[in-house]
DNA sequence: GTATTTGCAAACAATTTGCAGATAT
DNA sequence: ATATCTGCAAATTGTTTGCAAATAC
């Protein structure tokens, strides 16, 4: 698993950093093809995975959706707007000790956790208000 | 969205209740085809969705995986074993007030949340120990 | 020089959809 | 009687893979 510096890999990293908001592989691909139309989708996927593994970006897995990739690599939570489907960061302290609340009768080893909120984003709320 | 009582729908409900442990659509399909080989996969999917909407079963969405369906319909959390990939229930009180910890500067409406833990299940832990 | 990485196309898995015929009410 | 539901096959979506050629080191 040696790491080479390829043009494609930096293009992927730059795209994620530029897109910022939880870009999907497809959005990253589209972003790159603007300037570099010959890159392959497979290469984008492979590099997203590699960058996530080396911790340079963060893979966010949202149930029932395409994977997303985040330029913010620290632990944080997300909310999905049930109306527009967008994913947003949630400003809430990371629950380091949440696992202490578990009644671990069965002897699991707990390693980490994800919290995904659902709700309505401000823009969609506003839109709903306007309908009245 | 009227609801008819079809044989297929009760077959799906019974299969979920019988399988118990977070069955995937495919497992439900396989379970039914034992006794009723002509049912269509599409019908299984359609009825799983319908039953989830009417609250008779619970849809569990695990990131990066096929959807699963649970006979337990109350709110509860899950842990995914990173080794064997199985999903287990987590015995932990439902965090009714977790949303109070959010610094909601932007005016989101929070509706619900999911927590998915990751770790190693007892069986896999035991297996790892045996290797030494 | 050689092992990694790429691009392509094809494979894949999970799920959805269009449609004509079957069925519950 | 008729609107919903089913089965089938094809379509879709997101992602992975096999392989030969390209490239980084």
């Amino acid at each position: 698993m040696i790491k080479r510096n390829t043009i494609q890999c930096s293009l992927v990293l730059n795209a994620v950093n530029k897109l910022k908001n939880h870009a999907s592989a497809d959005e990253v691909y589209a972003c790159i093809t603007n300037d570099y139309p010959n890159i392959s989708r497979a290469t984008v996927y492979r590099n997203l995975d590699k960058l996530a593994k080396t911790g340079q970006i963060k893979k966010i897995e949202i149930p029932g959706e395409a994977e997303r990739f985040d330029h913010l690599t620290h632990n944080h939570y997300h909310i999905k707007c049930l109306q527009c489907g967008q994913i947003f960061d949630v400003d809430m302290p990371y629950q380091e000790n949440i696992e202490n609340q578990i009644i671990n009768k069965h002897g699991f080893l707990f390693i980490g956790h994800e919290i995904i909120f659902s709700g309505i984003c401000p823009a969609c709320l506003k839109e709903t208000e306007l309908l009245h």
Side-chain angles (χ1 to χ4, degrees), chain A:
Chain A
M1 228 269 245
I2 291 160
K3 180 95 193 303
R4 258 179 214 186
N5 266 340
T6 64
I7 296 164
Q8 290 86 341
C9 190
S10 24
L11 285 169
V12 169
L13 180 55
N14 291 343
V16 173
N17 284 333
K18 182 174 149 199
L19 289 168
K20 290 198 167 56
N21 290 315
H22 319 104
S24 65
D26 205 61
E27 288 167 336
V28 173
Y29 173 72
C31 172
I32 297 172
T33 45
N34 283 337
D35 305 325
Y36 195 91
N38 295 321
I39 197 169
S40 157
R41 237 189 198 82
T43 300
V44 172
Y45 275 99
R46 282 186 284 230
N47 281 310
L48 285 170
D49 265 353
K50 192 176 293 185
L51 290 165
K53 259 180 203 143
T54 61
Q56 296 176 80
I57 62 177
K58 189 172 163 62
K59 184 192 275 197
I60 308 170
E61 300 187 302
I62 308 288
E65 290 207 15
E67 283 174 354
R68 288 153 184 272
F69 296 88
D70 202 339
H71 65 122
L72 301 172
T73 55
H74 66 276
N75 281 326
H76 62 284
Y77 304 124
H78 295 97
I79 177 167
K80 175 180 179 175
C81 176
L82 296 175
Q83 203 146 318
C84 67
Q86 275 190 86
I87 306 295
F88 303 87
D89 289 330
V90 168
D91 196 352
M92 165 175 163
Y94 189 70
Q95 310 289 98
E96 297 287 356
N97 301 316
I98 197 168
E99 288 146 27
N100 296 347
Q101 299 196 41
I102 298 165
I103 302 116
N104 189 358
K105 280 202 278 279
H106 309 291
F108 280 85
L109 171 62
F110 284 82
I111 292 175
H113 70 271
E114 276 278 358
I115 307 182
I116 298 150
F117 293 92
S118 53
I120 312 285
C121 76
C124 287
L125 274 178
K126 200 154 204 171
E127 216 172 276
T128 311
E129 278 166 25
L130 292 177
L131 296 178
H132 299 300

